Amino acid sequence: MSKDYEKYFVKPSIRDARKRKSQETPVIDFSQHFNIKGFGKGKTYKIETYGCQANEADTEKIKGILEALDFTESETLEYADIILLNTCAVRENAENRVFGELGRLKQYKKNNPDLILGVCGCMPQEEKVVDRILKKIHYVDLVFGTHNIYKLPEYLETVVLSKERVIEVFSEEGSIVENMPRIRENTRKAWVNIMFGCDEFCTYCIVPYTRGKERSRNKNDIINEINSLIEEGYKEVTLLGQNVNSYGRDFKNEDYKFANLLRDLNKLPIERIRFTTSHPKDFDLETVKILSQGGNLMPYIHLPVQSGSNEVLKRMNRKYTKESYIELVDNIYKYIPKVSLTTDIIVGFPGETAEQFQETIDLVEYCKFEGAFTFIYSKRAGTPAEHYEDNTPFEDKKQNLYKLNEIVNKGYLVGNKRFEGKTVKVLVDGLSKNNDEVLAGYTENNKLVNFKGDKSLIGEIVKVEITEAKTWFLKGKQIG
Ligand code: SAH
Ligand code: SF4
Ligand code: F3S
């Protein structure tokens, strides 16, 4: 072979990932860097996605790049020429699932030595993961992180043509890449990144290290993206950011915040706008008031509280108190009475006492959450809480989790019950999992509804009268 391939070997560093400088975020225009080479003609790929919506959105971009290279998606893992695992590092069990899957994929590699097996997403941003791959998982060909998806074409070229293993993970603060091609999962609902990264550094959390500095996208790029989605027939967008309420905080020459963005998006002819995730510390009254105008701004807010104890919140570095959280929730209910609130809670944070856990239970009951993701604390290497003393037996944490979940599940049911006998608007996603005469979709309050209807309604917004509320879903009948 005449061409010399660049050697890619850059390992991550949590220490570098911790740094934040005040320099302007570079914006890379993908279309300027990409010449489509038909490189993947006749070849197939398969991606397995773990973790949050940020990863789901990234998978759509990775698919976009692969299909721009002329790869097509494989029906099965078994016959794919490329398998990529887009991974999540937020808790240990998320990581264990990926290592388990890598073990299982070894056989495919044996059957097909030309198979390219890659690991990307948040796990490669951790030193310990890349070290483990280097030491023990020799059959992985390609490792890249969250900051360099746009370099996938050159990585693949190198792996395929030079047979070199590629490992390149950047731990700098990150850029913004615009104009990446994209194969979206859904034809009616779309993810729209409004920002990347996180600067909060909650003491338990790995995300600020895996995703880099908080960077907000230019408002025109966001609005243009949503306008093209509208043209393509999309009915719902979900704005994505680790802390959407701090959108615009990093703009140097512009005073344009999340409330401004919502006000502008409220005017666009799209049926539904959602956003996730909100941070209680930055959720201002102006945003609450704009949401109260309704229209396409959906009455559903996911507002992670993590704990109901001020001492625990302080050690988590959440930068709000139980009282200020309650004040925010009171305002949300006051201005948006029909809203549905959900939350995230961590049980068994190092040093959490029985009394502090009880404060969380009390807060959950007060806030009338209609759902919650609850997690047992998981120690993450490189985060401050890694070194916090933690003497509570895991069994006790599990008991607390059960106790909390019982209360949380009651909240799901109470939240669903209030729609019995009411008419709601459902954006139909598809057939229900268990019965293909039944359609499934979500209401404005983000409640799952099953109702009998024709397949032609998939992708439409339909009026449904709710006949029965269950804990996990509503049953209804189409009206009109
Ligand atoms: N940026 C979002 C989501 C972050 S990850 C937010 O701030 O809410 C989603 C959830 O995972 C968090 O809300 C938190 O409840 C949970 N989580 C994060 N790190 C964790 C850890 N080390 N152990 C257990 N749960 C964790
Ligand atoms: Fe993690 Fe906190 Fe950032 Fe959410 S806000 S991603 S919990 S550091
Ligand atoms: Fe997981 Fe990364 Fe999201 S760690 S939760 S996939 S930002």
Side-chain angles (χ1 to χ4, degrees), residues 35-100:
N35 46 3
I36 296 164
K37 299 185 201 105
F39 185 72
K41 228 179 189 64
K43 295 220 169 101
T44 63
Y45 71 87
K46 191 86 186 156
I47 307 177
E48 294 191 342
T49 309
Y50 301 79
C52 69
Q53 295 93 339
N55 262 13
E56 288 181 30
D58 283 349
T59 288
E60 294 181 346
K61 294 171 193 168
I62 296 170
K63 285 186 176 182
I65 294 176
L66 290 172
E67 301 215 1
L69 288 166
D70 284 347
F71 287 93
T72 52
E73 188 167 9
S74 168
E75 297 269 311
T76 61
L77 275 177
E78 206 173 342
Y79 298 108
D81 298 297
I82 300 179
I83 299 176
L84 289 179
L85 304 188
N86 192 7
T87 62
C88 171
V90 82
R91 281 170 294 275
E92 198 180 356
N93 53 11
E95 299 202 337
N96 288 342
R97 277 175 63 207
V98 169
F99 284 120

Side-chain angles (χ1 to χ4, degrees), residues 10 24 65 278 314 317 335 348 379-380 413 460 462:
V10 180
E24 202 76 41
I65 294 176
S278 294
K314 191 152 202 259
N317 193 31
Y335 284 93
K379 190 194 272 196
R380 305 283 68 209
L413 187 60
E460 301 296 322
V462 178

Side-chain angles (χ1 to χ4, degrees), residues 113-180:
D114 290 333
L115 165 68
I116 294 171
L117 182 57
V119 179
C120 60
C122 286
M123 278 170 67
Q125 298 291 145
E126 300 175 279
E127 277 116 314
K128 67 166 205 257
V129 168
V130 171
D131 286 340
R132 181 160 163 185
I133 291 174
L134 281 170
K135 230 186 193 160
K136 292 205 178 123
I137 317 177
H138 301 289
Y139 52 94
V140 169
D141 308 284
L142 170 59
V143 178
F144 60 100
T146 57
H147 295 301
N148 48 351
I149 290 171
Y150 69 98
K151 291 182 75 180
L152 184 56
E154 56 193 274
Y155 297 153
L156 283 176
E157 194 181 15
T158 305
V159 172
V160 172
L161 299 180
S162 77
K163 309 258 184 242
E164 289 276 352
R165 189 184 208 193
V166 167
I167 293 185
E168 185 161 85
V169 183
F170 300 143
S171 301
E172 291 88 54
E173 301 151 346
S175 52
I176 290 180
V177 187
E178 289 296 345
N179 300 319
M180 273 208 250

Side-chain angles (χ1 to χ4, degrees), residues 12-20 50-52 54-55 87-95 121-130 146-147 169-173 196-215 242 306 316-318 346 349 377-387:
S13 149
I14 291 272
R15 179 193 287 232
D16 289 347
R18 194 171 289 136
K19 292 179 190 152
R20 295 291 187 267
Y50 301 79
C52 69
N55 262 13
T87 62
C88 171
V90 82
R91 281 170 294 275
E92 198 180 356
N93 53 11
E95 299 202 337
C122 286
M123 278 170 67
Q125 298 291 145
E126 300 175 279
E127 277 116 314
K128 67 166 205 257
V129 168
V130 171
T146 57
H147 295 301
V169 183
F170 300 143
S171 301
E172 291 88 54
E173 301 151 346
F196 302 93
C198 182
D199 282 350
E200 296 306 332
F201 292 97
C202 302
T203 54
Y204 50 80
C205 186
I206 194 77
V207 173
Y209 313 94
T210 66
R211 292 271 165 187
K213 177 168 105 168
E214 186 176 285
R215 295 89 85 201
Q242 296 300 342
Q306 315 298 0
M316 287 178 162
N317 193 31
R318 289 290 289 180
I346 295 177
F349 186 72
Y377 168 74
S378 171
K379 190 194 272 196
R380 305 283 68 209
T383 63
E386 179 191 7
H387 306 290

Side-chain angles (χ1 to χ4, degrees), residues 350-361:
E352 184 187 59
T353 64
E355 294 73 33
Q356 290 166 342
F357 174 67
Q358 187 56 42
E359 287 188 81
T360 299
I361 297 275

